[in-house]
Amino acid sequence: MAADHTPKIVGTVWGLLVLNTLGSAGAKTIVPLPRSLIQMVTMGALVAAFALALALNLRLRIRPSAFLLLLTLLLVPSVISSADLESGFGALFRCARLALFVGTLWLLSRWWDGGLTFVRHHIRMYFAVLGSVAAGLVISPGAALPDLYGGRLVGALWPLTPPQIGQYAAVIIGLTVLLVLGRRTDRGSAAVVIVPSLVLLALTHTRTATLGLLIGLALAIGSLVLTSAAARRFFAWSVLCATVAAVAFSSALRAWFLRGQSQENFSNLTGRAKVWDALLAAPRTTSEHLFGAGLGDKSFGGLPIDNSWLAVYQEQGMTGVALVAAVVVVLGGVALLRPPSLSRACAIFLISYCAIASYTEAGLGDASPYLLHLAVAASLLAAPAAPPPSAPEVPRRRVPLRSRRTEVT
C-alpha cells in the first residue's frame, strides 16, 4: 500500500476519541453539568470520530496490526458476558462503544507508518484538556482544589479526577521530553508544554502518574543512550539531580507521597487492597470465570476496582486477561526488536507507562485513554508503508539512421 500524506482532519478524529475517553464521572464543576449531557457529548464524539474516519477511508484501506486484532478479539468475551444482561443494558451499550472505538482505530491505521504524527496529535489534544483544567483553577481555586479530594487538583470545568489529570500531564511531559532529545521540537515550545504540565501534575499528588513518568522516561531514554549524545547527557544530569533531590528533600518528598495518610492506609493502597481481596474471593460460575460478568463501570460492590487486570477479570474473565496481556507483550516485544530510534523510545515510554499504571488504574479492557496511549505506541512501531512499484521502463526502439534523415523533395 502506498504511503499517504496524513490529512489534517485525522487530528480532529483523534481529538474526538480523546473527548470520548474523558468520562462523565468526577468532581463537581463550577457550572453543574448533568451526567446525561456529558454522556451524550462523549458518545456523540465517538460516533462523529467513526463517521469522519470512515469518510476519510471509504475504501477501507487498513494496515495489518496485531494490536488491533487482539482488541477486536477482546470484543468476543465482552459480548458473551454482556449478552445475558447480568450487568444490565448498559453492558451492551459499552460493547457497542468499544466496537466503534476499535473500528475507528482500524480506519485510522491506514496512516500508521512509524512516524510521529499521532504523537503530536496526542500531545496537542491532552494539552488542550489540561488547559481547561488550568482555566478552572484560575477561575475558581476552591472548586479546583476541593476538600473532598484532600485539596488535590480536579477538573472544575469538566469533571476530571486527580488521577486522570495526573495521567494526561505525565504522558505529554514524557513525550515532549523525548521530542526535545530527538530534536523534533525546540526547547521553547517544549517548555510551554512541560512547565505548566509539571505544575498540574504536582497539584494532583498522583503517585502512579509520577512513578510512571519517571520509570517510563528512564526506560525510553535508556533505549537511546547508545545512539544519542543528547540522551546520554540528559540521563546523566537526571540521575545527578534525582540523587541530590532525594537527599536534600527526602522528608518533603515522603510527605508528598504519603498525602497525609497513615502508613497502614498507604500500604493498603488507599483501601484498594480490600476491594481486590473481596473481588478475588467472590464466588463465580465457570462462565463468569472465563468470560466475566459483562462490561460495567469498573467497580465491585459499589467501590472502584482501580486495577486494570482485576477489572478485566471481573468484566471479561480470564479470556479477557489473556488478550490484554497479549496486547502488552506483543507491543513490548516488537519495541524491543526494533532498532534504536526516537519512535521506538516514545513507544517504550507509552507501553511502560500503561503497564505501571495498570496496577492502580483501570482501563486496559475498555475504550479509555490507556488504549489510546497504546494505539499511539502501535502507530510508532508500524513499519513504513512500501512505496508503490514503479512502472517498468519501456525500451526505446532503435530507428535506423537512414530512416531518421529528412527527405527533401
Side-chain angles (χ1 to χ4, degrees), residues 61-228:
R61 297 167 65 187
I62 60 177
R63 295 291 303 271
S65 172
F67 165 72
L68 291 178
L69 176 61
L70 290 169
L71 286 188
T72 305
L73 292 176
L74 187 62
L75 284 168
V76 175
S78 303
V79 172
I80 291 175
S81 59
S82 302
D84 60 3
L85 301 181
E86 181 179 343
S87 300
F89 285 100
L92 291 178
F93 177 82
R94 291 183 178 92
C95 287
R97 175 178 177 240
L98 179 58
L100 274 180
F101 184 85
V102 176
T104 305
L105 292 180
W106 270 116
L107 293 171
L108 293 179
S109 68
R110 170 183 178 178
W111 294 283
W112 291 5
D113 58 1
L116 298 172
T117 300
F118 285 90
V119 170
R120 298 187 187 280
H121 290 324
H122 214 54
I123 293 174
R124 291 190 192 106
M125 299 310 167
Y126 280 117
F127 187 67
V129 174
L130 293 181
S132 72
V133 174
L137 177 62
V138 172
I139 295 171
S140 179
L145 299 167
D147 294 333
L148 180 63
Y149 284 87
R152 301 169 66 192
L153 181 65
V154 300
L157 298 180
W158 186 277
L160 298 173
T161 62
Q164 284 181 282
I165 300 171
Q167 176 198 161
Y168 306 153
V171 167
I172 68 173
I173 289 170
L175 291 176
T176 306
V177 168
L178 293 173
L179 289 182
V180 172
L181 293 179
R183 298 180 180 178
R184 297 302 180 90
T185 189
D186 60 273
R187 295 183 180 182
S189 300
V192 171
V193 174
I194 293 174
V195 174
S197 299
L198 276 173
V199 173
L200 297 180
L201 175 59
L203 291 175
T204 63
H205 282 236
T206 307
R207 296 176 292 228
T208 300
T210 304
L211 289 175
L213 171 63
L214 296 177
I215 297 174
L217 267 183
L219 294 174
I221 296 173
S223 70
L224 293 172
V225 164
L226 297 178
T227 58
S228 171

Side-chain angles (χ1 to χ4, degrees), residues 195-288:
V195 174
S197 299
L198 276 173
V199 173
L200 297 180
L201 175 59
L203 291 175
T204 63
H205 282 236
T206 307
R207 296 176 292 228
T208 300
T210 304
L211 289 175
L213 171 63
L214 296 177
I215 297 174
L217 267 183
L219 294 174
I221 296 173
S223 70
L224 293 172
V225 164
L226 297 178
T227 58
S228 171
R232 288 192 292 270
R233 288 193 299 269
F234 185 87
F235 189 81
W237 278 106
S238 298
V239 171
L240 177 61
C241 293
T243 303
V244 172
V247 174
F249 305 103
S250 59
S251 59
L253 290 173
R254 185 173 182 275
W256 187 88
F257 266 87
L258 285 176
R259 297 198 306 240
Q261 299 172 343
S262 64
Q263 192 67 36
E264 180 182 358
N265 197 18
F266 178 75
S267 62
N268 284 330
L269 298 173
T270 322
R272 291 185 179 95
K274 297 179 180 178
V275 179
W276 299 347
D277 292 341
L279 186 151
L280 292 173
R284 298 176 187 275
T285 64
T286 302
S287 176
E288 289 174 339

Side-chain angles (χ1 to χ4, degrees), residues 276-350:
W276 299 347
D277 292 341
L279 186 151
L280 292 173
R284 298 176 187 275
T285 64
T286 302
S287 176
E288 289 174 339
H289 178 72
L290 291 177
F291 303 113
L295 293 183
D297 58 358
K298 312 298 178 287
S299 66
F300 180 79
L303 296 173
I305 297 175
D306 286 340
N307 180 289
S308 283
W309 305 102
L310 292 179
V312 171
Y313 174 64
Q314 169 69 14
E315 297 182 354
Q316 292 140 313
M318 288 303 300
T319 305
V321 171
L323 289 171
V324 172
V327 167
V328 177
V329 170
V330 167
L331 286 177
V334 172
L336 292 177
L337 294 175
R338 288 282 188 271
S341 66
L342 178 59
S343 294
R344 175 186 183 238
C346 290
I348 289 175
F349 169 75
L350 292 169

Side-chain angles (χ1 to χ4, degrees), residues 351-400:
I351 296 166
S352 57
Y353 181 89
C354 291
I356 293 166
S358 67
Y359 185 64
T360 57
E361 297 291 335
L364 285 183
D366 205 349
S368 71
Y370 290 106
L371 288 191
L372 284 182
H373 302 334
L374 293 179
V376 174
S379 75
L380 291 165
L381 297 173
S390 57
E393 184 178 353
V394 179
R396 297 180 62 183
R397 182 181 177 185
R398 295 187 61 185
V399 181

